Amino acid sequence: MERVLTWRQKTAIGLPPLHRVLQQLRLWQRRVRTRQHLAALDERQLADVGISQSERMDELSKPFWRG
């Protein structure tokens, strides 16, 4: 079975190692920021974006390195 790479994976393969590290750090930083914003939403705002309290808690319980 042939493995299919996503566009991100294809572009990351050809990048210098330092650039890949910086990309990963930016991704982790974005996840931290997004989860902080998610934690700050009240019940009405969660309902507006279609996220339940349990879905929010699942997302907030993940470490920053897990997507």
Side-chain angles (χ1 to χ4, degrees), residues 5-45:
L5 297 177
T6 65
W7 177 82
R8 252 195 181 133
Q9 289 169 326
K10 287 179 187 175
T11 56
I13 290 170
L15 297 176
L18 178 59
H19 195 271
R20 277 185 276 168
V21 169
L22 293 175
Q23 275 187 328
Q24 190 64 47
L25 291 173
R26 278 190 227 108
L27 173 63
W28 289 345
Q29 184 181 33
R30 189 169 46 244
R31 285 181 185 160
V32 168
R33 215 174 22 249
T34 301
R35 289 176 181 154
Q36 287 171 341
H37 289 211
L38 180 61
L41 296 178
D42 63 28
E43 291 296 324
R44 184 187 54 80
Q45 293 169 321

